[in-house]
Amino acid sequence: VIKCRAAVAWEAGKPLSLEEVEVAPPKAHEVRIKIVATAVCHTDAYTLSGADPEGCFPVILGHEGAGIVESVGEGVTKVKPGDTVIPLYIPQCGECKFCKNPKTNLCQKIRVTQGKGLMPDGTSRFTCKGKQIYHFMGTSTFSEYTVVADISVAKIDAAAPLDKVCLLGCGISTGYGAVVNTAKVEPGSTCAVFGLGGVGLAVIMGCKVAGASRIIGIDINKDKYAKAKEFGATECISPQDFKKPIQEVLVEMTDGGVDYSFECIGNVGVMRAALEACHKGWGVSVIVGVAAAGQEISTRPFQLVTGRTWKGTAFGGWKSVDNVPKLVTDYMSKKIKVDEFVTHTLPFDKINEAFELMHTGK
């Protein structure tokens, strides 16, 4: 058993608490990882807020991390102690019907236990002050050591800087993949990106790599425009600057609508606007943001009858074990940006400050 520090969420709506936790050794087909770097994501904040129907407490959050394998359980063959890895919140077992289908990346092998905050055998590897602590998204990267299923880990280039590539565990991969895998944006396309946070910037990067000729960024926070343009946005607009709905503005700006739109916020009203901003006959809108529990999307069916397509994406459609190492290689060969997404680097004990910076859009 390893004793180490972790940021524990004891209950919903309260700040994280830095505690000493015990991390049990990995059981069969499990891997214990020394987490070197982790990022914060709105999904962590969403669960912490209490709005997540799958949220269980007390829990160690975090799902964008990178580290070194410390030990492996019985039967683990893909990684060994000392390997550099990224934990995966969408695993890839290679055996379930989802993994065998090229149309999806949603491996279901450990979905049920992962959703309950437990390891595949139905138990936890974390304890603190004598209490069982739940896992989160199968990763729990807000701990100096974590235990994950062996199908939830990608071995990556040992030379990769972990304080950067941890971001490939969720946000960057999700936004970039939404463009290249889910939407399949073609050269010369016109694209609209709603929400210019980390995921939105990754979408813009993907649109640029795909050869889009016009990339319109949409956000009410104008402080985000300069960064969006660095990533490839050709123009940025705020819905607050217009009297009419933003979809009408976009349809006028683009002679009938955009070829592709991406919703990167998790707001059902914006999801509707993103669909309705698409061009009749061929426009495709991809939902990337996660809306709160119980919310529903709506539009007039005629929007779809007249040739628009509504799609969604999880982790950018990447089959995780196969593709995360390739994304790291693409970053190392400068094909995709990662460093530019990092705004702040804080010590672990300032993790609550990191959440405040995220909430204020900084």
Side-chain angles (χ1 to χ4, degrees), residues 97 113 137 141 155 168 176 286 323 333:
K97 73 176 182 182
T113 48
M137 289 175 75
T141 60
K155 181 181 170 179
L168 293 169
Y176 181 59
V286 181
N323 287 294
S333 60

Side-chain angles (χ1 to χ4, degrees), residues 62-294:
H63 63 285
E64 284 186 325
I68 311 291
V69 174
E70 177 272 333
S71 58
V72 299
E74 191 189 327
V76 175
T77 56
K78 299 269 173 70
V79 294
K80 62 186 187 304
D83 283 350
T84 306
V85 294
I86 289 177
L88 307 167
Y89 68 90
I90 293 182
Q92 186 186 350
C93 72
E95 296 164 359
C96 70
K97 73 176 182 182
F98 287 78
C99 281
K100 286 180 171 166
N101 191 322
K103 293 179 181 175
T104 185
N105 63 327
L106 297 175
C107 172
Q108 296 295 294
K109 180 89 178 266
I110 59 173
R111 180 72 199 91
V112 174
T113 48
Q114 181 171 315
K116 291 177 180 163
L118 299 167
M119 294 301 288
D121 72 345
T123 63
S124 166
R125 301 290 161 270
F126 297 120
T127 48
C128 181
K129 297 178 179 169
K131 291 198 176 107
Q132 170 183 286
I133 309 292
Y134 287 107
H135 293 252
F136 178 67
M137 289 175 75
T139 52
S140 290
T141 60
F142 293 172
S143 174
E144 290 174 333
Y145 287 86
T146 189
V147 179
V148 305
D150 64 352
I151 59 171
S152 304
V153 62
K155 181 181 170 179
I156 61 161
D157 183 344
L162 300 187
D163 59 335
K164 306 293 193 293
V165 296
C166 62
L167 291 168
L168 293 169
C170 179
I172 298 178
S173 305
T174 297
Y176 181 59
V179 177
V180 299
N181 298 327
T182 310
K184 297 185 167 63
V185 169
E186 305 106 342
S189 303
T190 297
C191 302
V193 183
F194 291 78
L196 302 176
V199 174
L201 293 175
V203 168
I204 289 172
M205 173 175 77
C207 291
K208 189 177 179 185
V209 168
S213 59
R214 196 170 175 193
I215 305 168
I216 305 164
I218 301 127
D219 202 301
I220 55 176
N221 181 349
K222 294 187 177 179
D223 295 341
K224 299 195 168 188
Y225 293 179
K227 194 85 163 168
K229 285 176 179 168
E230 273 175 48
F231 275 85
T234 53
E235 61 226 276
C236 294
I237 56 174
S238 168
Q240 295 176 338
D241 290 347
F242 303 94
K243 295 263 194 307
K244 59 176 89 164
I246 193 69
Q247 53 266 54
E248 290 178 28
V249 174
L250 285 159
V251 166
E252 279 175 23
M253 280 173 67
T254 57
D255 183 28
V258 299
D259 301 312
Y260 297 95
S261 68
F262 299 86
E263 198 279 353
C264 308
I265 302 163
N267 177 313
V268 292
V270 178
M271 290 173 191
R272 177 174 193 159
L275 177 81
E276 295 178 0
C278 283
H279 203 288
K280 183 193 274 190
W282 63 76
V284 174
S285 186
V286 181
I287 294 173
V288 192
V290 177

